[in-house]
Structure formats: structure tokens, C-alpha cells
Amino acid sequence: MLETPHEKGFDDIVELAASLCGAPTALISLVEAHEQVFKARVGMDPDRTSRDVSFCDHAMREPGLTVVTDATADPRFRDNALVTGEPAIRFYAGAPLVSAEGLPLGSLCVIDYEPRPEGLTDLQARTLEILAGQVVSQMELRRAVRQVEQGRDALAESEARFRVIADSMPQMVWSTLPDGYHDYYNARWYEFTGVPDGSTDGEAWNGMFHPDDQARAWKIWRNSLETGDLYEIEYRLRRADGVYRWTLGRAVPLRNPDGEIIRWFGTCTDIDDLKRIEQGQALLSQELSHRIKNIFAVVSALIALSAREHPEAKDFARAVRDRIGALARAHEFVRPHSDVSRPLIGEMTLHGFLSSLFRPYAEPGGAPRVELVGEDALFDDQAATSVALLFHELATNAAKYGALSMPGGKVRLTTRAEDDRFILNWREIGGPAVSGPPERQGFGSSLASLSVEGQLGGRLERVWHVEGLEVTADLPETALSRRKAAQDRDRRGTVVDESVRAGGRAGH
């Protein structure tokens, strides 16, 4: 306000004040630390004076109108340079200018160069105060306008920075309103898809997904919009050349201090090359595993052939074939599978599954050497591979180095439910003395840990007692029967229905 050009609104006010009060001079004075600056003036040439000669410095700190009828007779001003010299002020009346926060800014004043013993009339005094209020209102309005302008500039700058950063990213970046309406995509999106700018705003993104992925993507996105949960999905996105590429879509909500979602920000990452590598590795693993399975069959056939040539070894051969068959069944669960080849064991119990897995390690007469005690649990194929990997590894090591390597050695496997957990405790008894943990963890042990902690979401603890190894697997209660847990959630209605509220928008 201090160093801005003349403004007609303020100029009109001082002209009106001078006219109504019959004064040759009227000023809008804004007082700074060392000077007073006249925002608008009539009847005075200088646009500022030193603060130490300012009448307005006094007026702005008074609660009402300040009136000096004869400055030469007022002890506050009679020695003032503006009184003793030019322009020889004699009469002064000033109304304070006070901000909405209560801060004194200056005054609207009228000045005469002749004393006025009568001062101002009531109408003149009231008018001067009203006009002072108008000055403050004009100043507050201009301040507010500048703050919107500044906010708009800051927002524009922030948006420009965001666009530069987003456009420099190798990922596709998008953003939506709280209801899921898409209103922004970065340059990488348009480069990848080849669609015109703005053509996928709103809900028009739908046609970019592979038809087989659209319903699933809509369902997961709607669930995120309803719950505020993070959005994550893999789908096939059509590239500019018409080829569908596997893409990882992710989005997170941006919330205000009250926790309300004000925007969604998401990314699309091309993972097609990674998918192809993973598929190639899976295919190789399945082929190697298939060959191992064939080796079991060949060995079993050779034993049967040898038994026919040596009838006296018939019982021995049958026992060996049974053990090889049990190992083959265990291998069927631990080997890598495709969706087609994955074994479907249906709904069975954990103890039944483990009994089959431990059959190769039984006594010659068939008595089990791994004793199963405690609570049983429902068990399905989604947990089979991980559980089989863990206990196949433990049983194999026990047969090579632990309790099952010694005549009379046994293992006790105790299972129990505990709150929302399911605990499996493996304890070896009667084996060779254990001196301590191995110097390094083998591949099989690492795989067992990964199965429990990574696939089943549990914790695995190993303790090397002198009398034998103890292993505890602490699992979530739902880990052994994930399909049943999912069905229970469906029945409780926690899965979002396909029909989201009418009028709700959807997005990526």
C-alpha cells in the first residue's frame, strides 16, 4: 500500500473529506517506523514526512477522533516543525485507521492553516469517522485480493513443478478427484497409449484395459474408493501399437487434516518384460521338477523289475517302493506348479496331510516316527506347498543328521490353536547330541523360512537344544485354510458388492 500508485477510490475519499469539512488539505496517512506516507492527498505537495513531526502518529493511537483546534496552543505540537515553519498547520482533525486485527495503521485527517476554535460539527466528525472506516475496508479488500492472487500464483507454480517432475518419470502418473474422476495424466501416459490429450479424462480410461481385466480392475478400484484402502492391481494395458502389456497399477489417497480424501494419486508401471522373465523361470522350474518326478517313477519301476528277478527281495522291494512313492507324493506338493498342474487336495485336515508327508520316514513295520499330537485344523491346497516345503525340509534333515538318523530316534510335532494364531512345534528326541546352530544356513533352510514368513505370513524360530532341534512355526489362524477364510469374509459382507452406490465414479 505504501509504494503503490494513486488509486481513485482513495483519492475520492480525501476530496470528499476536505469538501465536507471545509478544509484546504486532507490526507490518508500511513505511519511507518521512521516516516509517514500519504496514500492519498489533496492540498499538500510532499508525499511523505518524517514520523517525528506526524500528527497522525498521535491520532492513530487514540480510541476516537483527535481534534487540535490550535496547534500553537497545544503542548504536543506547538514546537512541531510543521507548525513553526511551513506549511504552518493550525487546525488538525484525524480519525484513526485500525486494521481488523486491531493494529494502528495511520489516519484519515483534514488540515487547516487557520485555528478553528469551534472544531468540527457533529456531522463533519461522524462523516470523517465513517470515511476512515471506508479507507480501512478498501485496504482490507486490496490485501485480500493480493492474497488470492498470491495463492493462485503459488498454486500455479506448484502445479508446474509437479508436472515437470511427473513428466520426467518413466512411469505413467495419474490423478483423480475424491470420487475417482480422472482429471490428470502425465506425458508418459499419452506417449505409451498414443491417445489424444484429455481423451481419457473422467471414465474414458475403461477402453484401454484388456476386456478380460476390466471387471476385476473396476471392482478393486471401487473398493478403494469406498474404503480408502491402497489400490494395487496387475492388468493388461493397450499400448499405442495395439499390443497389450502387463502393467502394475497403484494409487494412494491424499487426505486433509480431518482425514478426508481430497485426491488420489496413482502410477502405472510396465511390468511385461518382468512377467515374461518370471514365466520363463517358472517354466524351467516346472520342467526340471517334472524330470525329477519321472526319475522317481523310473527308480520305482527298476526296483519292481529287480524284485521279479529276485523273489527273495520282494518284501524289501515293496518297502523301498512305498518310501519312494511317499517321497514322490511329497515332491508333488513342494515342486513349482502352474495353475493347471497345481495339486488340488480339497478340504482335508493338517494332520492327515502331514501323516502322508511323513510316511517315507516310518519304521519298517509302518509305525510312524514323527508323532502328531494336539489340535487338528482344516487345510487346503493354497497352504499345501508352503507347509510341505517346511516339514519336508525338517524331516529330510532329521533323517540325515538328526533324530531320524538314529535307531529309536523320534520327532514330536505338536499343533495348537492360540487366540488368533496356530502354533506348530517340531521337537527331535533321541538323536545325536547337538553342539549348536550350523555355521551357515543352507538353501533348504532358507526356503523353509521363506515359506513360513513370506508365503504364510508367520514367524519361524529354531532352537538347537543338546538333545535335539526344536522349531516353532507361529502362523495366523487363517494361513492354513485361506479359501475358507475368504468365504467367511464374503458371508460377513466385507467384500464390496459389484454394484457401487449410484452415480459413483470409477477410475484406474
Side-chain angles (χ1 to χ4, degrees):
M1 293 296 294
L2 294 176
E3 303 298 337
T4 55
H6 285 286
E7 297 181 58
K8 189 175 186 303
F10 293 120
D11 292 341
D12 289 346
I13 288 175
V14 294
E15 288 183 7
L16 182 58
S19 177
L20 288 173
C21 295
T25 300
L27 307 170
I28 295 176
S29 174
L30 302 178
V31 180
E32 280 196 287
H34 304 293
E35 62 182 1
Q36 64 175 349
V37 178
F38 306 137
K39 174 59 184 172
R41 65 189 188 277
V42 62
M44 181 172 285
D45 292 332
D47 65 352
R48 68 193 65 210
T49 69
S50 173
R51 181 173 179 172
D52 57 9
V53 297
S54 171
F55 282 61
C56 295
D57 185 32
H58 294 270
M60 71 178 186
R61 286 178 281 160
E62 296 296 330
L65 199 66
T66 297
V67 179
V68 180
T69 57
D70 185 354
T72 61
D74 190 313
R76 294 173 297 174
F77 303 110
R78 61 190 175 195
D79 296 327
N80 190 301
L82 299 180
V83 176
T84 59
E86 295 297 331
I89 295 173
R90 293 295 181 264
F91 172 79
Y92 174 90
L97 304 177
V98 181
S99 73
E101 297 82 9
L103 301 175
L105 305 175
S107 76
L108 169 64
C109 65
V110 293
I111 295 172
D112 202 344
Y113 305 105
E114 297 292 337
R116 287 193 184 187
E118 72 284 1
L120 296 177
T121 66
D122 291 343
L123 178 60
Q124 290 171 331
R126 180 59 182 151
T127 301
L128 195 62
E129 289 177 331
I130 291 173
L131 290 175
Q134 289 299 309
V135 171
V136 173
S137 296
Q138 292 266 15
M139 293 171 65
E140 293 289 349
L141 178 60
R142 281 157 175 74
R143 182 172 69 168
V145 169
R146 286 188 176 90
Q147 290 173 340
V148 172
E149 289 176 351
Q150 291 173 356
R152 187 171 61 242
D153 292 344
L155 179 61
E157 182 181 353
S158 177
E159 289 181 349
R161 286 199 301 266
F162 169 76
R163 289 178 182 275
V164 169
I165 294 172
D167 286 344
S168 67
M169 294 177 64
Q171 294 169 302
M172 292 165 270
V173 179
W174 49 271
S175 180
T176 80
L177 300 177
D179 62 1
Y181 185 90
H182 284 63
D183 61 359
Y184 170 76
Y185 297 89
N186 72 340
R188 174 61 179 150
W189 167 264
Y190 294 110
E191 175 188 334
F192 182 92
T193 61
V195 298
D197 286 6
S199 63
T200 49
D201 285 359
E203 300 174 2
W205 58 270
N206 187 37
M208 304 304 300
F209 287 6
H210 191 283
D212 294 344
D213 299 334
Q214 290 178 11
R216 179 171 55 89
W218 275 86
K219 180 179 179 180
I220 295 175
W221 175 237
R222 285 168 174 166
N223 180 57
S224 293
L225 292 177
E226 285 288 318
T227 63
D229 292 341
L230 301 183
Y231 171 71
E232 182 167 336
I233 183 176
E234 292 181 5
Y235 51 77
R236 285 161 290 182
L237 181 65
R238 190 175 69 235
R239 199 169 56 184
D241 58 4
V243 174
Y244 285 97
R245 302 272 296 178
W246 277 105
T247 304
L248 173 63
R250 286 176 173 166
V252 295
L254 177 65
R255 301 178 185 269
N256 63 17
D258 296 328
E260 299 171 331
I261 295 175
I262 57 177
R263 283 200 78 80
W264 284 86
F265 287 94
T267 59
C268 305
T269 306
D270 185 344
I271 59 170
D272 198 79
D273 292 338
L274 180 61
K275 276 278 189 181
R276 294 180 187 278
I277 293 173
E278 289 177 349
Q279 290 169 357
Q281 291 175 336
L283 183 62
L284 178 61
S285 297
Q286 290 166 21
E287 177 61 23
L288 290 173
S289 186
H290 179 70
R291 292 177 182 272
I292 293 173
K293 182 180 178 181
N294 288 341
I295 289 174
F296 280 126
V298 170
V299 171
S300 181
L302 289 174
I303 293 173
L305 181 62
S306 298
R308 286 197 294 270
E309 296 176 357
H310 301 280
E312 70 278 8
K314 182 177 180 181
D315 292 339
F316 171 78
R318 182 183 299 110
V320 173
R321 288 186 65 194
D322 287 345
R323 291 182 181 235
I324 290 175
L327 283 173
R329 287 192 296 274
H331 173 73
E332 183 65 14
F333 287 104
V334 302
R335 76 180 182 91
H337 284 279
S338 67
D339 291 337
V340 175
S341 69
R342 182 170 290 110
L344 297 176
I345 65 174
E347 187 177 273
M348 66 175 294
T349 66
L350 175 66
H351 284 199
F353 173 78
L354 291 175
S355 295
S356 176
L357 189 70
F358 296 141
R359 196 168 295 143
Y361 308 97
E363 298 282 1
R369 298 185 69 188
V370 179
E371 180 185 9
L372 290 169
V373 296
E375 299 176 62
D376 206 347
L378 287 178
F379 185 71
D380 64 28
D381 57 286
Q382 293 188 354
T385 299
S386 298
V387 172
L389 278 171
L390 170 64
F391 289 106
H392 185 57
E393 174 68 18
L394 290 175
T396 300
N397 284 343
K400 290 191 294 186
Y401 316 114
L404 301 184
S405 68
M406 301 286 289
K410 291 184 178 295
V411 176
R412 171 169 288 190
L413 178 54
T414 306
T415 59
R416 70 180 189 277
E418 190 173 287
D419 296 328
D420 61 345
R421 312 293 294 179
F422 196 86
I423 313 299
L424 300 94
N425 179 260
W426 170 281
R427 185 67 187 265
E428 298 187 18
I429 306 164
V434 177
S435 60
E439 295 181 0
R440 65 182 183 85
Q441 189 177 47
F443 174 75
S445 297
S446 299
L447 196 59
S449 298
L450 179 63
S451 297
V452 172
E453 297 169 1
Q455 303 300 322
L456 298 176
R459 299 185 294 270
L460 191 67
E461 180 184 12
R462 296 179 177 87
V463 180
W464 284 268
H465 301 290
V466 173
E467 59 273 20
L469 172 66
E470 179 181 13
V471 178
T472 301
D474 182 348
L475 309 178
E477 63 176 352
T478 58
L480 298 178
S481 187
R482 298 180 185 177
R483 185 176 292 106
K484 181 177 183 299
Q487 292 170 348
D488 290 343
R489 285 195 299 271
D490 287 342
R491 283 193 292 269
R492 290 195 299 268
T494 56
V495 175
V496 177
D497 188 70
E498 282 289 336
S499 55
V500 178
R501 63 184 184 280
R505 300 188 182 275
H508 251 284

